[in-house]
Amino acid sequence: MAIVSKGFHGKRRGNDGRTPPGQHLTTDFPVLSVGPTPRVTTDRWEFAIVTERGETHRWNWQQMRALPNEKPVVDIHCVTTWSKLDTRWRGVSLDTLFDGIDTAATHVMASSYDGYTTNLPLTELRGGRAWLAFEYDGAPLRPEHGGPARLLVPHLYFWKSAKWVSTLTLMVRDEPGFWERNGYHDYGDPWQEQRYQGD
């Protein structure tokens, strides 16, 4: 049986060029999680990229924070039909983290501290399109929003922006993650309304 939520209801917008079809704007930041919020302290936080050959590249909190960071301002869109415009983040571009990693992978499995997984094409994480985000709206990212650090992939539905991300595993073929195994779309383009398998 698929685990899906038909979503929230809010103020519906017309075609403003920024709100995908089927979405409603919100000014708050709804919290949706599969289970309890993990409490990961920065002194034990670690992030890793594992290549398809098993090579592991690791960063602790201090190493990650020493990397160049950016302040993306992006619109985000949840599969449960809410959108939030002009959200302000700080994080490390995944281009920076992938720099120097040799791979022939086509896909990535993002894994989180709570056991959550989601799959993405590797191309969607490169080219200035994705970040490892550790601040939101000028403050440290709160645990309920994925802190201390989450994946930020704003051009896809927000379930692809894995909270509490711990590992990106590079893959030479696509495999479904948690929500994808439970009925959600493999890609998740909000402009194409790719919410569920078959959309």
Side-chain angles (χ1 to χ4, degrees):
M1 177 183 218
I3 304 172
V4 296
S5 170
K6 293 302 179 184
F8 295 99
H9 300 285
K11 182 179 179 184
R12 186 163 181 82
R13 287 290 292 248
N15 184 7
D16 58 8
R18 295 177 65 187
T19 307
Q23 296 293 109
H24 299 84
L25 290 184
T26 184
T27 55
D28 61 357
F29 196 163
V31 174
L32 300 171
S33 299
V34 175
T37 298
R39 303 290 171 169
V40 182
T41 58
T42 56
D43 63 322
R44 66 183 184 89
W45 179 91
E46 183 179 79
F47 177 75
I49 296 176
V50 181
T51 73
E52 67 275 24
R53 297 177 302 280
E55 299 162 348
T56 303
H57 304 261
R58 288 188 175 90
W59 296 263
N60 63 27
W61 187 257
Q62 292 75 23
Q63 290 167 333
M64 185 272 291
R65 288 301 309 270
L67 295 171
N69 59 72
E70 301 174 358
K71 294 181 177 180
V73 178
V74 295
D75 302 340
I76 56 177
H77 312 288
C78 183
V79 71
T80 60
T81 76
W82 61 262
S83 289
K84 187 172 177 64
L85 305 183
D86 296 320
T87 61
R88 298 178 179 274
W89 305 81
R90 182 191 292 265
V92 176
S93 170
L94 288 191
D95 291 325
T96 299
L97 295 167
F98 279 117
D99 187 38
I101 295 179
D102 181 36
T103 181
T106 58
H107 289 79
V108 171
M109 184 68 75
S111 302
S112 299
Y113 279 94
D114 66 342
Y116 176 81
T117 58
T118 190
N119 58 312
L120 304 104
L122 179 56
T123 54
E124 303 306 314
L125 301 182
R126 297 181 128 162
R129 306 176 81 193
W131 296 265
L132 182 64
F134 53 82
E135 285 185 9
Y136 172 74
D137 206 18
L141 189 60
R142 292 165 49 187
E144 61 266 31
H145 290 303
R150 73 176 297 157
L151 200 57
L152 177 63
V153 191
H155 63 283
L156 300 178
Y157 279 125
F158 214 44
W159 91 80
K160 294 291 188 177
S161 294
K163 295 181 183 180
W164 316 294
V165 67
S166 61
T167 309
L168 297 180
T169 302
L170 300 174
M171 306 182 295
V172 295
R173 66 183 61 85
D174 195 15
E175 296 178 19
F178 175 82
W179 284 117
E180 296 81 14
R181 290 192 306 271
N182 285 286
Y184 277 45
H185 198 279
D186 282 326
Y187 183 69
D189 183 345
W191 294 97
Q192 300 297 318
E193 291 195 87
Q194 293 175 337
R195 302 173 191 278
Y196 310 112
Q197 298 291 347
D199 286 348

